[in-house]
Amino acid sequence: MAFILGSGSPRRLDLLAQLGVQPDAIRAPDIDETPLKGELPVPYCNRITRAKVQAVQADGDDVTLCADTTVALGRRILGKPEDAGQAAEFLHALSGRRHRVITSVAVRRGVRVLQRDVVSQVKVKRLSDVEINAYLATGDWQGKAGAYAIQGPAGAFIPWISGSFTGIVGLPLSETAALLQGIGYPLYREVS
């Protein structure tokens, strides 16, 4: 049984290491992540994760794990910004407000797929133009849903969360551990 991480995210790799899991292979799937017309954030995140886990090439007994993290401001999906201008737009929209961070995790072994959606609440303090511009200059917003990463410099902008910190980072560890055990992956091995 090989363990395949279907993600190129260094954050997910680091979080898996906290569970003592080192992938045998990393195969980031290439799928279209465009939201469907009128698609709501939780169903969108769930659909993308399922598409990812199905797209990864794996042998019948291999365990494949994929995840997707989506930032939702009401019904609006804030994906990965295309440029600094869009990142600034996202940060201005989040400033002084609460939003949801949805991370969907799926594990597949053969034809069996187990999946969980974890929804957390995040409050961003009211941001000044100076704070936004300084953050944009770090480049930390690149490749991040909603244009920020809680574990980076933007952590200074977040006074309150409710839910899973590791889910906000990109892989909720408690739920991931339960999914891996549920699919038959020997997560906690006895020490002899």
Side-chain angles (χ1 to χ4, degrees):
M1 168 193 324
F3 180 84
I4 301 164
L5 174 60
S7 172
S9 165
R11 293 162 301 283
R12 292 195 178 113
L13 193 58
D14 290 346
L15 288 166
L16 277 174
Q18 291 182 33
L19 292 176
V21 176
Q22 283 292 335
D24 297 298
I26 296 174
R27 299 181 190 147
D30 184 21
I31 65 160
D32 180 3
E33 296 188 30
T34 307
L36 302 174
K37 185 171 174 53
E39 191 170 29
L40 296 175
V42 173
Y44 163 78
C45 193
N46 184 285
R47 176 180 65 82
I48 293 301
T49 302
R50 188 166 286 269
K52 285 179 179 182
V53 84
Q54 297 292 359
V56 174
Q57 291 289 83
D59 291 334
D61 201 40
D62 292 347
V63 173
T64 302
L65 181 142
C66 291
D68 187 72
T69 300
T70 298
V71 172
L73 188 57
R75 297 168 60 97
R76 183 178 175 199
I77 295 168
L78 302 181
K80 297 172 185 169
E82 295 175 14
D83 54 33
Q86 189 173 47
E89 175 194 325
F90 287 177
L91 293 169
H92 279 290
L94 294 170
S95 176
R97 299 175 70 183
R98 288 186 185 182
H99 63 278
R100 290 174 296 149
V101 177
I102 304 117
T103 296
S104 184
V105 182
V107 293
R108 185 184 93 213
R109 186 173 184 187
V111 297
R112 189 168 173 228
V113 176
L114 301 178
Q115 187 169 0
R116 288 279 307 271
D117 301 328
V118 177
V119 181
S120 301
Q121 303 283 332
V122 178
K123 179 166 186 357
V124 175
K125 75 181 198 87
R126 188 164 305 285
L127 300 173
S128 70
D129 287 341
V130 170
E131 289 168 317
I132 289 174
N133 290 331
Y135 178 68
L136 293 174
T138 70
D140 190 62
W141 56 271
Q142 296 176 20
K144 311 285 191 335
Y148 78 91
I150 193 170
Q151 73 278 13
F157 301 157
I158 299 168
W160 177 90
I161 71 165
S162 175
S164 169
F165 177 80
T166 55
I168 296 166
V169 174
L171 191 69
L173 290 184
S174 177
E175 293 79 2
T176 298
L179 288 171
L180 288 171
Q181 289 179 292
I183 205 89
Y185 183 79
L187 187 60
Y188 303 112
R189 297 178 176 99
E190 286 193 36
V191 179
S192 51

mmCIF file of all heavy atoms in Angstrom, residues 145-182:
data_model
loop_
_atom_site.group_PDB
_atom_site.id
_atom_site.type_symbol
_atom_site.label_atom_id
_atom_site.label_comp_id
_atom_site.label_asym_id
_atom_site.label_seq_id
_atom_site.Cartn_x
_atom_site.Cartn_y
_atom_site.Cartn_z
ATOM 1 N N ALA A 145 -5.829 30.936 -1.292
ATOM 2 C CA ALA A 145 -7.254 31.253 -1.379
ATOM 3 C C ALA A 145 -7.545 32.445 -0.483
ATOM 4 O O ALA A 145 -7.062 32.523 0.647
ATOM 5 C CB ALA A 145 -8.090 30.050 -0.940
ATOM 6 N N GLY A 146 -8.292 33.409 -1.003
ATOM 7 C CA GLY A 146 -8.637 34.599 -0.236
ATOM 8 C C GLY A 146 -7.493 35.588 -0.108
ATOM 9 O O GLY A 146 -7.618 36.597 0.567
ATOM 10 N N ALA A 147 -6.345 35.290 -0.710
ATOM 11 C CA ALA A 147 -5.164 36.167 -0.741
ATOM 12 C C ALA A 147 -4.422 36.256 0.589
ATOM 13 O O ALA A 147 -3.711 37.215 0.848
ATOM 14 C CB ALA A 147 -5.522 37.572 -1.243
ATOM 15 N N TYR A 148 -4.607 35.258 1.468
ATOM 16 C CA TYR A 148 -3.837 35.295 2.716
ATOM 17 C C TYR A 148 -3.610 33.886 3.238
ATOM 18 O O TYR A 148 -4.311 32.947 2.855
ATOM 19 C CB TYR A 148 -4.549 36.127 3.792
ATOM 20 C CG TYR A 148 -5.700 35.415 4.469
ATOM 21 C CD1 TYR A 148 -5.484 34.673 5.631
ATOM 22 C CD2 TYR A 148 -6.979 35.463 3.952
ATOM 23 C CE1 TYR A 148 -6.525 34.001 6.246
ATOM 24 C CE2 TYR A 148 -8.032 34.805 4.559
ATOM 25 C CZ TYR A 148 -7.796 34.069 5.710
ATOM 26 O OH TYR A 148 -8.827 33.400 6.313
ATOM 27 N N ALA A 149 -2.601 33.772 4.108
ATOM 28 C CA ALA A 149 -2.337 32.529 4.822
ATOM 29 C C ALA A 149 -2.245 32.862 6.303
ATOM 30 O O ALA A 149 -1.434 33.698 6.701
ATOM 31 C CB ALA A 149 -1.028 31.897 4.339
ATOM 32 N N ILE A 150 -3.068 32.226 7.116
ATOM 33 C CA ILE A 150 -3.115 32.524 8.550
ATOM 34 C C ILE A 150 -1.782 32.232 9.232
ATOM 35 O O ILE A 150 -1.421 32.870 10.207
ATOM 36 C CB ILE A 150 -4.279 31.767 9.231
ATOM 37 C CG1 ILE A 150 -4.532 32.326 10.641
ATOM 38 C CG2 ILE A 150 -4.028 30.267 9.251
ATOM 39 C CD1 ILE A 150 -5.799 31.804 11.295
ATOM 40 N N GLN A 151 -1.012 31.271 8.706
ATOM 41 C CA GLN A 151 0.248 30.881 9.336
ATOM 42 C C GLN A 151 1.416 31.768 8.911
ATOM 43 O O GLN A 151 2.532 31.577 9.374
ATOM 44 C CB GLN A 151 0.560 29.402 9.040
ATOM 45 C CG GLN A 151 1.002 29.129 7.616
ATOM 46 C CD GLN A 151 -0.133 28.994 6.619
ATOM 47 O OE1 GLN A 151 -1.275 29.322 6.900
ATOM 48 N NE2 GLN A 151 0.186 28.505 5.433
ATOM 49 N N GLY A 152 1.147 32.758 8.066
ATOM 50 C CA GLY A 152 2.193 33.671 7.630
ATOM 51 C C GLY A 152 2.012 35.054 8.230
ATOM 52 O O GLY A 152 1.366 35.214 9.270
ATOM 53 N N PRO A 153 2.560 36.078 7.563
ATOM 54 C CA PRO A 153 2.459 37.447 8.076
ATOM 55 C C PRO A 153 1.016 37.912 8.305
ATOM 56 O O PRO A 153 0.767 38.740 9.179
ATOM 57 C CB PRO A 153 3.136 38.295 7.002
ATOM 58 C CG PRO A 153 3.992 37.359 6.225
ATOM 59 C CD PRO A 153 3.352 36.014 6.329
ATOM 60 N N ALA A 154 0.058 37.372 7.538
ATOM 61 C CA ALA A 154 -1.344 37.776 7.689
ATOM 62 C C ALA A 154 -1.937 37.315 9.015
ATOM 63 O O ALA A 154 -3.003 37.778 9.412
ATOM 64 C CB ALA A 154 -2.188 37.252 6.529
ATOM 65 N N GLY A 155 -1.252 36.426 9.723
ATOM 66 C CA GLY A 155 -1.721 36.010 11.043
ATOM 67 C C GLY A 155 -1.906 37.199 11.981
ATOM 68 O O GLY A 155 -2.759 37.172 12.863
ATOM 69 N N ALA A 156 -1.148 38.273 11.759
ATOM 70 C CA ALA A 156 -1.268 39.489 12.572
ATOM 71 C C ALA A 156 -2.590 40.212 12.327
ATOM 72 O O ALA A 156 -2.969 41.082 13.112
ATOM 73 C CB ALA A 156 -0.097 40.436 12.278
ATOM 74 N N PHE A 157 -3.283 39.872 11.254
ATOM 75 C CA PHE A 157 -4.556 40.514 10.899
ATOM 76 C C PHE A 157 -5.766 39.765 11.456
ATOM 77 O O PHE A 157 -6.901 40.183 11.260
ATOM 78 C CB PHE A 157 -4.721 40.603 9.377
ATOM 79 C CG PHE A 157 -3.641 41.360 8.657
ATOM 80 C CD1 PHE A 157 -3.406 41.121 7.318
ATOM 81 C CD2 PHE A 157 -2.859 42.318 9.299
ATOM 82 C CE1 PHE A 157 -2.428 41.822 6.621
ATOM 83 C CE2 PHE A 157 -1.875 43.020 8.617
ATOM 84 C CZ PHE A 157 -1.656 42.776 7.277
ATOM 85 N N ILE A 158 -5.537 38.616 12.115
ATOM 86 C CA ILE A 158 -6.646 37.733 12.484
ATOM 87 C C ILE A 158 -6.719 37.592 14.002
ATOM 88 O O ILE A 158 -5.984 36.802 14.608
ATOM 89 C CB ILE A 158 -6.490 36.368 11.788
ATOM 90 C CG1 ILE A 158 -6.517 36.590 10.277
ATOM 91 C CG2 ILE A 158 -7.576 35.396 12.233
ATOM 92 C CD1 ILE A 158 -6.108 35.427 9.450
ATOM 93 N N PRO A 159 -7.639 38.357 14.639
ATOM 94 C CA PRO A 159 -7.738 38.308 16.097
ATOM 95 C C PRO A 159 -8.597 37.155 16.624
ATOM 96 O O PRO A 159 -8.569 36.871 17.821
ATOM 97 C CB PRO A 159 -8.385 39.653 16.445
ATOM 98 C CG PRO A 159 -9.222 39.979 15.251
ATOM 99 C CD PRO A 159 -8.464 39.425 14.067
ATOM 100 N N TRP A 160 -9.350 36.489 15.740
ATOM 101 C CA TRP A 160 -10.317 35.505 16.236
ATOM 102 C C TRP A 160 -10.608 34.457 15.176
ATOM 103 O O TRP A 160 -10.762 34.794 13.993
ATOM 104 C CB TRP A 160 -11.602 36.252 16.595
ATOM 105 C CG TRP A 160 -12.739 35.405 17.061
ATOM 106 C CD1 TRP A 160 -13.026 35.047 18.337
ATOM 107 C CD2 TRP A 160 -13.767 34.818 16.248
ATOM 108 N NE1 TRP A 160 -14.161 34.276 18.365
ATOM 109 C CE2 TRP A 160 -14.640 34.126 17.095
ATOM 110 C CE3 TRP A 160 -14.025 34.817 14.883
ATOM 111 C CZ2 TRP A 160 -15.748 33.425 16.624
ATOM 112 C CZ3 TRP A 160 -15.123 34.130 14.403
ATOM 113 C CH2 TRP A 160 -15.972 33.445 15.283
ATOM 114 N N ILE A 161 -10.658 33.195 15.602
ATOM 115 C CA ILE A 161 -11.144 32.123 14.733
ATOM 116 C C ILE A 161 -12.062 31.230 15.552
ATOM 117 O O ILE A 161 -11.981 31.179 16.776
ATOM 118 C CB ILE A 161 -10.014 31.258 14.107
ATOM 119 C CG1 ILE A 161 -9.343 30.376 15.164
ATOM 120 C CG2 ILE A 161 -9.010 32.111 13.358
ATOM 121 C CD1 ILE A 161 -8.493 29.264 14.595
ATOM 122 N N SER A 162 -12.916 30.508 14.867
ATOM 123 C CA SER A 162 -13.724 29.471 15.483
ATOM 124 C C SER A 162 -13.680 28.283 14.542
ATOM 125 O O SER A 162 -14.052 28.398 13.372
ATOM 126 C CB SER A 162 -15.170 29.941 15.668
ATOM 127 O OG SER A 162 -15.966 28.887 16.169
ATOM 128 N N GLY A 163 -13.177 27.151 15.036
ATOM 129 C CA GLY A 163 -13.076 25.978 14.175
ATOM 130 C C GLY A 163 -11.687 25.386 14.211
ATOM 131 O O GLY A 163 -11.023 25.405 15.238
ATOM 132 N N SER A 164 -11.242 24.895 13.088
ATOM 133 C CA SER A 164 -9.986 24.155 12.975
ATOM 134 C C SER A 164 -8.873 25.044 12.427
ATOM 135 O O SER A 164 -8.908 25.438 11.263
ATOM 136 C CB SER A 164 -10.185 22.950 12.050
ATOM 137 O OG SER A 164 -8.952 22.369 11.719
ATOM 138 N N PHE A 165 -7.867 25.334 13.269
ATOM 139 C CA PHE A 165 -6.732 26.126 12.791
ATOM 140 C C PHE A 165 -6.044 25.412 11.631
ATOM 141 O O PHE A 165 -5.740 26.018 10.603
ATOM 142 C CB PHE A 165 -5.722 26.397 13.917
ATOM 143 C CG PHE A 165 -4.505 27.138 13.442
ATOM 144 C CD1 PHE A 165 -4.535 28.514 13.251
ATOM 145 C CD2 PHE A 165 -3.321 26.461 13.161
ATOM 146 C CE1 PHE A 165 -3.423 29.204 12.798
ATOM 147 C CE2 PHE A 165 -2.201 27.139 12.702
ATOM 148 C CZ PHE A 165 -2.251 28.512 12.521
ATOM 149 N N THR A 166 -5.804 24.090 11.774
ATOM 150 C CA THR A 166 -5.127 23.363 10.698
ATOM 151 C C THR A 166 -6.005 23.273 9.455
ATOM 152 O O THR A 166 -5.492 23.224 8.338
ATOM 153 C CB THR A 166 -4.664 21.963 11.152
ATOM 154 O OG1 THR A 166 -5.783 21.233 11.669
ATOM 155 C CG2 THR A 166 -3.563 22.064 12.202
ATOM 156 N N GLY A 167 -7.325 23.305 9.642
ATOM 157 C CA GLY A 167 -8.232 23.367 8.490
ATOM 158 C C GLY A 167 -8.080 24.679 7.740
ATOM 159 O O GLY A 167 -8.112 24.715 6.507
ATOM 160 N N ILE A 168 -7.899 25.765 8.479
ATOM 161 C CA ILE A 168 -7.701 27.074 7.855
ATOM 162 C C ILE A 168 -6.366 27.094 7.110
ATOM 163 O O ILE A 168 -6.261 27.644 6.013
ATOM 164 C CB ILE A 168 -7.780 28.201 8.912
ATOM 165 C CG1 ILE A 168 -9.188 28.258 9.515
ATOM 166 C CG2 ILE A 168 -7.408 29.555 8.307
ATOM 167 C CD1 ILE A 168 -9.294 29.082 10.791
ATOM 168 N N VAL A 169 -5.355 26.442 7.672
ATOM 169 C CA VAL A 169 -4.048 26.357 7.006
ATOM 170 C C VAL A 169 -4.160 25.530 5.720
ATOM 171 O O VAL A 169 -3.511 25.842 4.725
ATOM 172 C CB VAL A 169 -2.974 25.772 7.944
ATOM 173 C CG1 VAL A 169 -1.654 25.550 7.206
ATOM 174 C CG2 VAL A 169 -2.752 26.685 9.141
ATOM 175 N N GLY A 170 -5.019 24.484 5.731
ATOM 176 C CA GLY A 170 -5.203 23.717 4.501
ATOM 177 C C GLY A 170 -5.407 22.228 4.654
ATOM 178 O O GLY A 170 -5.653 21.531 3.671
ATOM 179 N N LEU A 171 -5.329 21.693 5.898
ATOM 180 C CA LEU A 171 -5.568 20.264 6.102
ATOM 181 C C LEU A 171 -5.951 20.032 7.565
ATOM 182 O O LEU A 171 -5.091 20.004 8.440
ATOM 183 C CB LEU A 171 -4.320 19.439 5.755
ATOM 184 C CG LEU A 171 -4.538 17.936 5.672
ATOM 185 C CD1 LEU A 171 -5.406 17.566 4.469
ATOM 186 C CD2 LEU A 171 -3.205 17.212 5.593
ATOM 187 N N PRO A 172 -7.257 19.883 7.843
ATOM 188 C CA PRO A 172 -7.690 19.680 9.232
ATOM 189 C C PRO A 172 -7.202 18.332 9.758
ATOM 190 O O PRO A 172 -7.633 17.287 9.291
ATOM 191 C CB PRO A 172 -9.208 19.750 9.142
ATOM 192 C CG PRO A 172 -9.530 19.377 7.729
ATOM 193 C CD PRO A 172 -8.368 19.817 6.898
ATOM 194 N N LEU A 173 -6.279 18.375 10.730
ATOM 195 C CA LEU A 173 -5.597 17.146 11.142
ATOM 196 C C LEU A 173 -6.497 16.125 11.814
ATOM 197 O O LEU A 173 -6.375 14.931 11.549
ATOM 198 C CB LEU A 173 -4.410 17.482 12.049
ATOM 199 C CG LEU A 173 -3.236 18.154 11.342
ATOM 200 C CD1 LEU A 173 -2.072 18.358 12.308
ATOM 201 C CD2 LEU A 173 -2.782 17.356 10.139
ATOM 202 N N SER A 174 -7.408 16.554 12.674
ATOM 203 C CA SER A 174 -8.275 15.597 13.361
ATOM 204 C C SER A 174 -9.128 14.821 12.352
ATOM 205 O O SER A 174 -9.193 13.590 12.391
ATOM 206 C CB SER A 174 -9.163 16.336 14.369
ATOM 207 O OG SER A 174 -10.052 15.431 14.975
ATOM 208 N N GLU A 175 -9.750 15.537 11.452
ATOM 209 C CA GLU A 175 -10.611 14.898 10.450
ATOM 210 C C GLU A 175 -9.792 14.059 9.467
ATOM 211 O O GLU A 175 -10.212 12.979 9.046
ATOM 212 C CB GLU A 175 -11.422 15.956 9.701
ATOM 213 C CG GLU A 175 -12.458 16.665 10.559
ATOM 214 C CD GLU A 175 -11.911 17.772 11.458
ATOM 215 O OE1 GLU A 175 -10.688 18.065 11.416
ATOM 216 O OE2 GLU A 175 -12.699 18.352 12.221
ATOM 217 N N THR A 176 -8.597 14.548 9.116
ATOM 218 C CA THR A 176 -7.734 13.795 8.204
ATOM 219 C C THR A 176 -7.313 12.473 8.824
ATOM 220 O O THR A 176 -7.345 11.425 8.173
ATOM 221 C CB THR A 176 -6.502 14.640 7.825
ATOM 222 O OG1 THR A 176 -6.949 15.824 7.141
ATOM 223 C CG2 THR A 176 -5.547 13.878 6.924
ATOM 224 N N ALA A 177 -6.926 12.507 10.105
ATOM 225 C CA ALA A 177 -6.536 11.277 10.803
ATOM 226 C C ALA A 177 -7.694 10.280 10.820
ATOM 227 O O ALA A 177 -7.503 9.086 10.562
ATOM 228 C CB ALA A 177 -6.079 11.598 12.222
ATOM 229 N N ALA A 178 -8.906 10.758 11.099
ATOM 230 C CA ALA A 178 -10.079 9.876 11.135
ATOM 231 C C ALA A 178 -10.353 9.275 9.754
ATOM 232 O O ALA A 178 -10.684 8.087 9.644
ATOM 233 C CB ALA A 178 -11.297 10.645 11.642
ATOM 234 N N LEU A 179 -10.225 10.080 8.705
ATOM 235 C CA LEU A 179 -10.452 9.574 7.341
ATOM 236 C C LEU A 179 -9.417 8.509 6.973
ATOM 237 O O LEU A 179 -9.759 7.468 6.394
ATOM 238 C CB LEU A 179 -10.402 10.712 6.319
ATOM 239 C CG LEU A 179 -11.575 11.676 6.325
ATOM 240 C CD1 LEU A 179 -11.290 12.870 5.409
ATOM 241 C CD2 LEU A 179 -12.863 10.983 5.892
ATOM 242 N N LEU A 180 -8.148 8.770 7.293
ATOM 243 C CA LEU A 180 -7.099 7.796 6.970
ATOM 244 C C LEU A 180 -7.336 6.475 7.696
ATOM 245 O O LEU A 180 -7.213 5.400 7.103
ATOM 246 C CB LEU A 180 -5.719 8.368 7.317
ATOM 247 C CG LEU A 180 -5.223 9.477 6.390
ATOM 248 C CD1 LEU A 180 -3.957 10.127 6.949
ATOM 249 C CD2 LEU A 180 -4.980 8.947 4.985
ATOM 250 N N GLN A 181 -7.702 6.555 8.973
ATOM 251 C CA GLN A 181 -7.999 5.329 9.719
ATOM 252 C C GLN A 181 -9.227 4.631 9.148
ATOM 253 O O GLN A 181 -9.259 3.412 9.038
ATOM 254 C CB GLN A 181 -8.187 5.645 11.195
ATOM 255 C CG GLN A 181 -6.887 6.027 11.871
ATOM 256 C CD GLN A 181 -7.091 6.373 13.332
ATOM 257 O OE1 GLN A 181 -7.716 7.374 13.651
ATOM 258 N NE2 GLN A 181 -6.576 5.524 14.210
ATOM 259 N N GLY A 182 -10.237 5.423 8.762
ATOM 260 C CA GLY A 182 -11.463 4.856 8.212
ATOM 261 C C GLY A 182 -11.262 4.126 6.898
ATOM 262 O O GLY A 182 -11.992 3.184 6.582
#
